[in-house]
Amino acid sequence: MSELESFSDLFQNKLFRIPDYQRGYAWKQSQLVDFWDDLVHLQEGRYHYTGLLSLKAVPKTETNKWNNDQWLINNRGYKAYHVVDGQQRLTTFSILMNEILTFVKGLEENDGKTEDEIVISYETLTSIRSKYISQKRPPQNMVTTYLFGYEMDNPSADYLIHKVFGEPHSGSMKETYYTQNLKFAKTFFSDCLENLFKSEGLDGIEKLYHKLAFQLMFNIHEIEEDYDVFVAFETMNNRGKKLSNLELLKNRLIYLTTLYDDDQLDSTDKDELRKKINNSWKEVYYQLGRNQNSPLADDEFLRAHWTIYFQYTRNTGNDYINFLLNKFSALNIFEKHIVLLEEETIEPINDDPLKDDDGEEIIEEDFSVNVSKLAPHEIRGYVNSLKDISEYWYMSYFPEHGDINTEEKIWLHRLNRIGIGYFRPLIAISLLPEQNITVDERVMLFKAIERFIFVCFRMGTFQSSYKSSFYYREGRDLYQGDITVHDIIKSLNESVEEDLNTALKNFSTKMDTRFSKHEGFYSWRDLKYLLYEYEYEKAMHSGIKKVGWEPFTTIEKDRVSIEHILPQTPTKWYWRNQFRQFTGDEIKTLSGSLGNLLPLSQSVNSSLQNDSFPDKKSVNTPGRRGYRDGSHSEIEVSDQEEWNATTILNRGLKLLNFIENRWDFSFEGEQEKLDLLHIGFVKEEREDVEEIPEEITLTLDEIPTTNGAEMTISEFQLDFWTNFINYCTEIGRESEIASRSPYSHNYYDVKFSNKNYHIFFNIIGSDIIRVGIYIYNENVFKLIEQQKDKIEQICGFELDWYTSKEDSVAKRVLYSSTTDLRDRSNYHQNFDWLISHYDKLKRALDVVEPL
């Protein structure tokens, strides 16, 4: 172990290369922020220990292939090193140093100057660049040698040189998961330097450069020539940002190529096998990072491929990487087995093969060779398979980028919507051209898989691993050519038929539980998939697509939410009168029944709220739209004259009929459907109940001539909450929501049995109305935050989670809307908004894990 060195010391007459067994640049924002903060907050004259750098000298036999580097190595006395441990820090240093040079050169005051004329910290940019980034070979300066970089057989090599360091004439290049990280680091440091310059000027940039070059200190460890560098790499890299299994396996396979005896694999074949490994990983990482906005997990791909390539068993399924590392191990190279060879000789004619012509016994000689237990062709076959399948693994996620039939793309998108689960390896195999599967056969397979998933998992709620071992093996057998795709399709359909009764019973039991909690179909997590498929079918019939899948799943202003046509809290006269013959519990059941649920854009739902059905159907107010202008499903609902219990029942039966037709099975008659909908009571004969006269609709006790706009702030707030309490009392919600006296504040707290948080209401200014959760300490907030997605799914609206001050012990979670608060004729609408959003928020909090 040497003494501590700075970057300035480290870069004295050295070339650094990231070897092919290394992963690419893996640092992300959190590591970059830490690096920047350490640097910015490092005091002048102080040093910061940055860890150990492990290097291994590259012998001249290898550097002879480094054409652009030869002049520095042979004529300038530079020594070449492979970076075994510390490449993330060295890469980060190089990117930041280059960005400092680029930033300073781009300053307005340096416009038109050469790098020889620009000076920071008493050094020209030319001297800084030649010391840390690159040098040009004189006298023509046509060859540029970069002091730090990747070996050329790596996609990151070109990217670092051309896209990060700015070398011109790059041509086209593939971007991977790792090149995205390089791009992000460059942009990150560029932004940081811009902000530093704004606050501290050029002096701040100079100080930063000095800290970077001279005050970050390392221990430098040179690995001896006879030391096993591959094992060192595995050990060292598991200390920091842990290697992924895919990264670890690449290192292991390259290591194994060095262990074969020359008589089994000569140097040319070793180089070729190593090249195949690198090319395979290059393709794999390109495919996994091909969609820069949604990179695919490398370890998930590696495990999936393992199920395809090797014999899957549940015993080893969760420990696949140990299986692979044991399979591809040094022990299997060193452990030999004898292979007998036949010598090609012309035998004399002899009646007794054990005697020569003189009658002497012939001693048979064994011609044999020691061959490694793990043959080179096994490594070659494995890495070629990884490479070939990676493209179709990507296509299974993003079929729109694949060269496949439109109907195949439709079904692959459908499978991604419903959740492919453990079927993805099988689907990727089915897309391989060498499988010779026709388009029609693939579509039949995709249909059978989707049907199996919907019936067994989405309705039947079977365990997610149900039959996974079986279909992993089916995928491997298909890959090996031992079965046909028709065998798998038949198996899937037979499984659905065998499991159908159990699945429907499970579905019915789960639905009973949901209705007992007054949630009904609304809390079935796959309701969106069902309603989207219903909408999609209508779009196919009409030829007009009105709603895409993305709005169903993203949280944004105009996303789609599933809403109740008959409101969960029916306070308006229309609803109370329309359902007057039913009890409160029956109305809650009707509200959660399948036929009452409709996909709406959130903006529409927020504006319609508890409006009557005629008002929801057709809205004449500018900026708002009703069902008639919505999706196919909304338009279908708007064709109803009235919305009552019978229409809810009929629409529910229609949707269940759609399920039967779409997924090709039958419920056990009408009664089973009524039991599922939970509103069989609609068919009961009941005495007619006299209409509720519209004139007794709840109103304010007295609307004074003075409007809210003419009151002081305190008077208005007291008036608002006083009328809110009266309103809650009249509709029977005073004990739950409005048990506190009104105050002249802009908030009203609603406390309940939970001691960790309560719900509150806000009125802000003259136009903001708000509901929120007030959480008493940060630990409880973090627990609730972990279930953010579930809470928002149940609520049907996006909450603002991060408005509280960072140092605040208590935290607020908010949902706001705009309205005219001061117009007292809007009070009822605003009260309804508060009550309905309270109910949704309270329901979501009750469903999540108790705190």
Side-chain angles (χ1 to χ4, degrees), residues 345-394:
T345 57
I346 301 175
E347 296 291 338
I349 299 174
N350 194 326
D351 292 334
D352 186 352
L354 297 181
K355 300 286 185 180
D356 65 9
D357 287 340
D358 298 325
E360 294 180 356
E361 186 173 353
I362 299 174
I363 305 299
E364 263 194 341
E365 182 177 354
D366 287 338
F367 293 93
S368 62
V369 64
N370 284 330
V371 176
S372 296
K373 186 177 177 181
L374 177 65
H377 72 81
E378 292 184 73
I379 296 178
R380 183 178 65 245
Y382 177 73
V383 300
N384 283 341
S385 177
L386 269 177
K387 177 183 177 183
D388 293 342
I389 292 174
S390 64
E391 177 183 356
Y392 300 96
W393 179 258
Y394 174 84

Side-chain angles (χ1 to χ4, degrees), residues 157 197 249 350 353 398-399 449 476 582 658 660 726 814:
F197 182 76
L249 183 61
N350 194 326
F398 306 106
I449 291 173
R476 181 176 184 272
F582 299 104
F658 168 76
E660 289 180 315
N726 292 339
L814 306 174

Side-chain angles (χ1 to χ4, degrees), residues 297-459:
D298 48 5
D299 287 345
E300 182 184 348
F301 168 68
L302 183 62
R303 184 185 187 280
H305 179 269
W306 170 77
T307 69
I308 295 166
Y309 199 81
F310 296 102
Q311 185 63 48
Y312 174 86
T313 65
R314 192 174 296 280
N315 291 335
T316 58
N318 294 323
D319 206 17
Y320 74 97
I321 188 59
N322 287 337
F323 174 95
L324 290 172
L325 293 178
N326 287 332
K327 169 72 175 177
F328 299 111
S329 65
L331 178 64
N332 284 339
I333 303 294
F334 294 128
E335 187 176 325
K336 312 288 185 180
H337 63 277
I338 296 174
V339 175
L340 296 177
L341 302 179
E342 294 183 3
E343 185 183 24
E344 294 183 2
T345 57
I346 301 175
E347 296 291 338
I349 299 174
N350 194 326
D351 292 334
D352 186 352
L354 297 181
K355 300 286 185 180
D356 65 9
D357 287 340
D358 298 325
E360 294 180 356
E361 186 173 353
I362 299 174
I363 305 299
E364 263 194 341
E365 182 177 354
D366 287 338
F367 293 93
S368 62
V369 64
N370 284 330
V371 176
S372 296
K373 186 177 177 181
L374 177 65
H377 72 81
E378 292 184 73
I379 296 178
R380 183 178 65 245
Y382 177 73
V383 300
N384 283 341
S385 177
L386 269 177
K387 177 183 177 183
D388 293 342
I389 292 174
S390 64
E391 177 183 356
Y392 300 96
W393 179 258
Y394 174 84
M395 194 185 297
S396 75
Y397 280 94
F398 306 106
E400 66 274 16
H401 298 159
D403 185 19
I404 54 177
N405 178 276
T406 300
E407 191 173 5
E408 293 175 277
K409 291 179 181 179
I410 289 171
W411 277 97
L412 283 174
H413 280 303
R414 188 172 266 135
L415 283 165
N416 279 300
R417 289 197 294 269
I418 198 172
I420 291 178
Y422 62 70
F423 286 103
R424 197 177 294 279
L426 171 59
I427 288 167
I429 291 302
S430 74
L431 293 166
L432 285 170
E434 54 265 34
Q435 290 294 321
N436 294 316
I437 298 173
T438 68
V439 170
D440 289 342
E441 288 172 331
R442 268 198 295 268
V443 170
M444 287 171 60
L445 174 66
F446 298 162
K447 285 182 178 179
I449 291 173
E450 193 261 0
R451 179 174 181 249
F452 178 93
I453 292 171
F454 185 81
V455 172
C456 294
F457 296 135
R458 303 301 171 249
M459 293 185 71

